[in-house]
Each structure stands twice: as structure tokens, then as C-alpha cells.
Amino acid sequence: MQLTGHITPDNLMSLEAYTKWRKVHKPSVIAHRRLRSAVLGEHLHVQFESETTIRYQIQEMLRIEKVFEEEGIQQEIDAYAPLVPDGTNWKATVLIEYTDVNERKRELARLIGVEDRLFVEVEGHARVYAIADEDLDRENDEKTSAVHFVRFEFTAPMRAAIQAGAGVKLGCDHTHYPAHGQLSAETLASLAGDLK
């Protein structure tokens, strides 16, 4: 899978080529995803995306749905490509995970607005709150969604601090879900590569 900085139909693999590539490289993509994953408290999973994770997601959708026509390929690109960080930010998929159906229903009602209370705090700088669900609103008056897409936008001094090795805290200050923790050095090393 070649990273180009811009996902287009022309630089995706054919279904046949991807099937061969996948057999060899799937474990390394899973390791990359795991490295860029953080758990916040017991029920919030934050998956920081990259061109690698999004290319893989698009190729997987094309493979599963057996899409080979240009229009279908472009639809998958349009759906997922906005999740690739663009040099000034981190982008993530946030999953609110409760295994019990009744508990999940109750907690999603209590956690309305949780996506807007997620933050990243770079050592020595103010908190950066998530810009959530820019594609469409994922909550209503009764509950929030179990899946959100967020972006953390950084100033140039924050990006420089991250790249210089500053500590970074990931947190949530929602009334019903206060949680925070340091991102590991390994995760930060991977995330720093998203910034220009």
C-alpha cells in the first residue's frame, strides 16, 4: 500500500492486487491501528486515523462489497478520505462501547454531548477540544451516537511541541464521563508524524 498524501481511484489497488497484498500486510496494518489507539476510561475507545488506516478501510470496503466501478470507488473515498489528518490536526473515530444493550441505551442518553467534551492537552499549552461530526449530526435530544468522528486542530507552537516530544494528555470533561490519561510515547511518536 503506497502512501501518496491524497487518496484517488488511480492510486488504490485493484481488488485482485489488494487481495494478494492483504494476505501479507494485514498484521502490520492491525499493529499500526493498535499503536494509534487509546482507551479513555472503561467505555471510550479513540482510534486515531492515518492515511494507512483510511486506505485500508477503503480497500476493505471495496473488497467486502466487491466494488470495482469508478462511481462506487469514489463514493467510498468520499466517505472515508476526510478522516485522513492534513498536517495541522489529528483525526479520530470515537467508539462508545457498552456490551450490555440496556446499559448502552441508558448511557448513550446520559452522554449527550460527550463528543464535544473530548480534549487533547499538549504539555505547556491550553486544551484543544474536539471538533465533532463535521459530516452530519450524530445525536438527538434523546441520545448520542455510539460512533463519532472528531478532529483536534493544533496551533503551530503545539505541533512543534508535540514533535519535540512534549507530553500529551487525552481526556474528557463531560459531567457523566470525566476521564483522562497520558498518551504513550509510542502512540505519540506515530501521531507526531501526522503533523507538519
Side-chain angles (χ1 to χ4, degrees):
M1 186 176 297
Q2 185 175 0
L3 302 182
T4 64
H6 188 66
I7 302 172
T8 67
D10 293 337
N11 61 35
L12 289 172
M13 289 181 255
S14 68
L15 294 179
E16 297 82 6
Y18 177 67
T19 299
K20 291 176 186 173
W21 182 92
R22 183 179 189 268
K23 288 177 185 173
V24 175
H25 298 283
K26 183 179 178 182
S28 65
V29 174
I30 290 171
H32 175 74
R33 284 184 63 85
R34 193 174 299 124
L35 179 64
R36 297 173 62 88
S37 181
V39 177
L40 198 51
E42 292 182 34
H43 303 285
L44 239 66
H45 178 218
V46 180
Q47 178 63 57
F48 290 99
E49 305 294 359
S50 67
E51 184 180 346
T52 299
T53 65
I54 296 303
R55 275 187 180 279
Y56 182 76
Q57 179 68 32
I58 292 169
Q59 293 279 184
E60 280 292 293
M61 295 305 293
L62 297 175
R63 182 185 71 84
I64 291 165
E65 297 174 4
K66 297 185 180 11
V67 175
F68 55 88
E69 294 175 355
E70 195 168 322
E71 184 179 329
I73 293 169
Q74 190 61 54
Q75 287 174 351
E76 294 298 335
I77 292 170
D78 292 346
Y80 292 102
L83 289 171
V84 177
D86 61 19
T88 62
N89 52 44
W90 291 340
K91 296 183 181 181
T93 302
V94 177
L95 306 169
I96 303 172
E97 301 173 324
Y98 289 90
T99 52
D100 179 76
V101 173
N102 293 322
E103 184 183 19
R104 180 172 54 245
K105 185 176 179 182
R106 181 183 72 242
E107 293 305 313
L108 291 178
R110 290 180 70 224
L111 293 175
I112 291 173
V114 70
E115 67 279 8
D116 298 317
R117 303 310 306 168
L118 296 170
F119 65 85
V120 169
E121 190 174 332
V122 179
E123 186 179 347
H125 297 271
R127 288 180 176 174
V128 173
Y129 282 89
I131 300 165
D133 302 324
E134 295 177 281
D135 58 340
L136 60 100
D137 197 11
R138 297 180 187 279
E139 70 179 22
N140 57 40
D141 293 338
E142 297 173 14
K143 68 177 183 70
T144 191
S145 172
V147 179
H148 295 279
F149 301 105
V150 300
R151 171 170 58 95
F152 298 98
E153 196 67 40
F154 300 108
T155 64
M158 289 174 180
R159 295 193 303 271
I162 292 167
Q163 290 173 322
V168 178
K169 186 189 316 182
L170 175 67
C172 178
D173 62 10
H174 189 279
T175 304
H176 300 296
Y177 201 93
H180 68 274
Q182 289 291 127
L183 291 176
S184 73
E186 296 82 10
T187 298
L188 273 176
S190 180
L191 293 175
D194 296 346
L195 303 174
K196 294 179 185 169

